[in-house]
């Protein structure tokens, strides 16, 4: 997911079902879904998210705040000023290869 007003990208996990409103809520808050990936097990999606976010933090890339304020899911964000959506998706795919089988991971 990206939010152009923050120049931020986000990875996140959500259940792919009609009862889940998480993507809708993020959309209402200005986020746009770029890619999704389905996993058979939620633990695999969590591992990919963890590996991806840890790689950002290891590079010294902090989460993106909104005018200095935290918001829902901000810990899984990175600035698009230091990386690109395409580079993030490549990293997500590499994390998948390092974990297991392709729940729902969204970027």
């Amino acid at each position: 997911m990206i939010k152009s007003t923050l120049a931020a990208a986000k990875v996140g996990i959500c259940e792919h079902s009609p009862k889940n409103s998480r993507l809708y809520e993020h959309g209402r808050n200005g986020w746009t879904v770029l890619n999704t990936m389905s996993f058979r097990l939620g633990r695999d999606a969590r591992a990919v998210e963890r590996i991806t976010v840890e790689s950002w933090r290891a590079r010294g890339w902090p989460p993106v705040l909104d005018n200095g304020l935290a918001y829902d899911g901000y810990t899984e964000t990175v600035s698009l000023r230091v990386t690109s959506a395409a580079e993030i998706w490549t990293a997500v795919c590499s994390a998948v290869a390092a974990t297991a089988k392709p729940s729902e991971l969204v970027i």
Side-chain angles (χ1 to χ4, degrees), residues 38-105:
S38 296
F39 293 82
R40 193 171 60 78
L41 300 173
R43 72 170 180 243
D44 293 335
R46 286 188 296 278
V48 169
E49 180 187 61
R50 179 184 48 75
I51 290 166
T52 302
V53 173
E54 284 177 357
S55 75
W56 298 340
R57 304 307 175 243
R59 290 179 176 98
W61 299 347
V64 177
L65 299 174
D66 189 354
N67 290 316
L69 301 174
Y71 50 89
D72 185 33
Y74 85 97
T75 59
E76 296 88 31
T77 62
V78 67
S79 174
L80 289 170
R81 293 182 176 97
V82 297
T83 190
S84 70
E87 290 170 336
I88 293 167
W89 190 247
T90 298
V92 166
C93 293
S94 295
V96 169
T99 56
K101 302 136 186 96
S103 51
E104 190 82 7
L105 179 71

Side-chain angles (χ1 to χ4, degrees), residues 12-16 23 35-39 45 103-106:
I13 301 167
C14 69
E15 178 186 10
H16 184 62
L23 288 180
N35 293 305
T36 65
M37 185 179 291
S38 296
F39 293 82
S103 51
E104 190 82 7
L105 179 71
V106 176

